[in-house]
Amino acid sequence: IVVAAAALRGGSAMRLVLQRVVSASVSVDGAEVSTIGRGLLALVGLHEEDGAEDLQFCARKLCGAKLWENESGKSWRQSVRQMEYEILLVSQFTLFGEVTNKKHVPDFKASMKTAEATRTYDEFKALVAREYGGEARIKDGVFGAKMAVSLVNDGPVTLVVDSPRHRAEREAGARGEEPDEREAEAKA
């Protein structure tokens, strides 16, 4: 998980790191607060510029990503929702951390600030529940707490989902161009 965060630094987007799991759990102060069986562990990174469209896009991708095989054995045909598996959401502001200074101290200034992030994370959780079709299979950790996250990867399958508005900005920057609004909308 820490390696994924380091490899992803330098873009501005709502970011999910999805891990297909056999099981996953979150504990705080040694007490288990959430656990799931088969499904997805989603590390949720909120960027300071994220808005409603970023949340909606990521909720759709999380519930709709086809990461399991179908009944015929064809890979990448069924989503967590179609399989009726569970989702464990874990807030993780460190997904926007950068180690760019001489002292090698992480900088999290691109992460959404705590008060706004708390409200935004709750809104995202509600959107995921709505997209899934109910909240019974949507679990989460404790926002802002120091959590111990345990998981048994299935595959392993790990994917990164960035919201499109910011993804277009990053891609344009890599080409040395200004981002085009139409390009961002087309990728949504």
Side-chain angles (χ1 to χ4, degrees):
I1 293 173
V2 174
V3 172
L8 300 171
R9 66 175 212 264
S12 60
M14 180 174 179
R15 177 165 294 143
L16 302 177
V17 176
L18 306 180
Q19 295 183 307
R20 189 176 74 182
V21 298
V22 172
S23 62
S25 64
V26 175
S27 297
V28 176
D29 295 329
E32 188 173 88
V33 295
S34 286
T35 186
I36 65 169
R38 287 200 174 277
L40 287 175
L41 169 64
L43 305 177
V44 180
L46 297 170
H47 187 272
E48 64 183 349
E49 296 176 3
D50 286 335
E53 66 278 0
D54 300 295
L55 301 180
Q56 291 165 353
F57 176 86
C58 287
R60 278 194 317 272
K61 291 297 182 183
L62 170 59
C63 292
K66 298 189 183 294
L67 304 179
W68 285 270
E69 62 185 34
N70 65 15
E71 55 282 342
S72 301
K74 287 195 168 204
S75 297
W76 317 114
R77 298 290 191 263
Q78 298 286 308
S79 69
V80 66
R81 178 180 47 218
Q82 290 170 309
M83 299 296 289
E84 297 183 359
Y85 288 161
E86 297 174 292
I87 296 173
L88 178 56
L89 301 172
V90 176
S91 62
Q92 190 170 353
F93 74 94
T94 61
L95 288 178
F96 290 107
E98 293 186 328
V99 183
T100 57
N101 56 51
K102 292 180 183 180
K103 294 183 180 181
H104 306 289
V105 176
D107 178 348
F108 304 107
K109 67 183 172 202
S111 297
M112 189 176 284
K113 304 307 175 242
T114 305
E116 184 181 0
T118 302
R119 289 186 303 274
T120 303
Y121 177 80
D122 288 342
E123 183 181 341
F124 179 68
K125 183 179 174 189
L127 284 169
V128 170
R130 189 172 334 131
E131 189 69 32
Y132 189 95
E135 60 186 39
R137 295 188 178 272
I138 312 302
K139 311 288 175 68
D140 70 336
V142 177
F143 187 90
K146 184 175 181 182
M147 295 177 272
V149 180
S150 300
L151 68 135
V152 177
N153 262 321
D154 181 10
V157 173
T158 302
L159 298 173
V160 177
V161 175
D162 285 340
S163 58
R165 176 172 50 108
H166 299 303
R167 186 174 61 225
E169 291 171 5
R170 197 170 46 258
E171 290 170 358
R175 293 188 304 265
E177 304 169 352
E178 288 297 315
D180 181 354
E181 291 295 323
R182 290 168 293 158
E183 181 180 334
E185 289 174 10
K187 292 186 178 189

